[in-house]
Amino acid sequence: MKRRPKSRGLFAIALIVTLIAAVDIPITGTSFAAVDTKVTTPQPTLNKTDHFAYVIGYPDDEVRPLGKITREEVAVIFYRIMTEENRKAFAATYQPFTDVDSDRWSNNEIATLCNAKLIQGNLDGSFTPEKPITRAEFATVAARFDKLEEPKENKFVDVENHWAKDYINSSAEKGWIKGYGDGTFRPDHIIIRCEAMMLINEMLDRRVNIEGLHKDTKQWLDNTEDKWYYEIVLEATNTHDYQRANKPKSIEKWKQIKDNPVW
């Protein structure tokens, strides 16, 4: 039997290498550098046009403005104030949290916000939906609806070493959150319901005074005119048509009270 010349084998190897190089096929690994695999993900955005009730009161005609608000209640609120296009784009029914069952009343809202990367769970894989939300956690979710602002200095004296510093500073820079008279933000304190409504109204640029209310405005037994949060709560709990000047921070004049959406 004749032995095949070595030169022919070397030529074959060289030809294979040349062909591989010509079509840019990766020899090892799973790189797909030559293929554009980028997927455009929509930025979560707020519905600042339609003024619907994003907080629903209780059957006893109270709204409990001084009560605590839980992590799942906040998730539901932020779900409601997203644009309809966003709710559809990020719609989900699965979420990875070990303590949120698929049949929980807030599951779809939590899953959608998780899919939009607006909320995260705890290191142990839980979400603790019934846990009252802190001011820092609330500011973080709010900040994720927009590009992070980076002010040169901290907006509050007690956030320098806090995990949510950047989110708190960004939300404060936009005027969405406010601190206390002593310059603190108290990030780990629990936020109460009327404070949450105040911050969300600021995000949505929604504000009304007594003169702008409609005669059919839904009132609450525990939200009387002498309270500092009176108009804030009414803005958050009434679905209404309105008119106002075409500029930020304008005061509304309500034209009609409408039925609340069915989510």
Side-chain angles (χ1 to χ4, degrees):
M1 181 180 295
K2 295 182 178 180
R3 299 182 65 181
R4 181 177 297 175
K6 291 184 179 181
S7 59
R8 185 176 299 179
L10 293 173
F11 173 77
I13 294 173
L15 179 61
I16 293 172
V17 171
T18 302
L19 288 172
I20 290 175
V23 297
D24 196 25
I25 300 175
I27 297 175
T28 60
T30 56
S31 172
F32 293 92
V35 181
D36 185 2
T37 59
K38 291 182 180 178
V39 177
T40 302
T41 302
Q43 169 70 36
T45 52
L46 300 167
N47 183 350
K48 297 185 178 182
T49 302
D50 303 312
H51 288 198
F52 47 76
Y54 58 80
V55 171
I56 308 300
Y58 296 90
D60 60 1
D61 278 338
E62 291 189 350
V63 70
R64 303 174 194 173
L66 301 180
K68 297 175 182 178
I69 187 166
T70 65
R71 288 163 58 88
E72 68 181 333
E73 288 173 330
V74 168
V76 170
I77 288 174
F78 277 107
Y79 173 88
R80 291 172 177 171
I81 65 175
M82 293 171 70
T83 62
E84 183 177 358
E85 292 76 14
N86 264 201
R87 287 196 297 271
K88 290 179 179 179
F90 292 110
T93 57
Y94 169 79
Q95 39 68 33
F97 306 123
T98 58
D99 55 351
V100 179
D101 294 332
S102 59
D103 59 352
R104 190 178 184 88
W105 71 273
S106 59
N107 174 73
N108 291 357
E109 289 86 347
I110 292 173
T112 298
L113 262 69
C114 180
N115 189 38
K117 295 180 171 56
L118 291 168
I119 60 174
Q120 295 176 326
N122 305 307
L123 293 177
D124 63 359
S126 67
F127 182 69
T128 50
E130 296 179 349
K131 181 181 178 181
I133 196 167
T134 66
R135 292 169 58 82
E137 291 170 333
F138 191 96
T140 298
V141 179
R144 287 174 176 158
F145 272 95
D146 204 350
K147 179 181 178 182
L148 278 181
E149 299 286 347
E150 298 181 2
K152 294 180 180 179
E153 298 180 351
N154 289 325
K155 292 294 184 177
F156 308 103
V157 299
D158 57 347
V159 301
E160 173 57 33
N161 297 314
H162 198 277
W163 64 266
K165 178 184 73 172
D166 292 341
Y167 297 111
I168 294 170
N169 282 332
S170 182
S171 293
E173 183 75 7
K174 293 180 173 69
W176 292 352
I177 62 173
K178 301 182 186 301
Y180 296 91
D182 61 358
T184 63
F185 181 68
R186 305 174 194 175
D188 295 320
H189 284 204
I190 300 303
I191 194 170
I192 58 177
R193 292 168 64 84
C194 63
E195 289 176 328
M197 291 182 230
M198 178 179 69
L199 301 183
I200 291 173
N201 287 351
E202 285 295 326
M203 292 178 65
L204 299 175
D205 195 21
R206 289 173 53 168
R207 55 188 54 79
V208 69
N209 56 23
I210 291 180
E211 290 74 20
L213 296 174
H214 191 274
K215 62 181 179 63
D216 296 329
T217 298
K218 169 64 179 177
Q219 302 283 348
W220 306 96
L221 296 177
D222 54 353
N223 183 50
T224 52
E225 289 187 20
D226 59 314
K227 301 297 190 294
W228 66 265
Y229 47 77
Y230 174 67
E231 296 99 329
I232 292 171
V233 170
L234 294 181
E235 177 67 58
T237 57
N238 280 271
T239 300
H240 54 273
D241 285 338
Y242 64 95
Q243 61 184 24
R244 67 176 186 181
N246 187 25
K247 60 181 181 180
K249 299 189 180 300
S250 298
I251 303 298
E252 303 166 18
K253 175 73 174 178
W254 290 3
K255 299 168 58 179
Q256 180 185 6
I257 300 298
K258 305 176 71 174
D259 292 337
N260 294 333
V262 178
W263 302 104

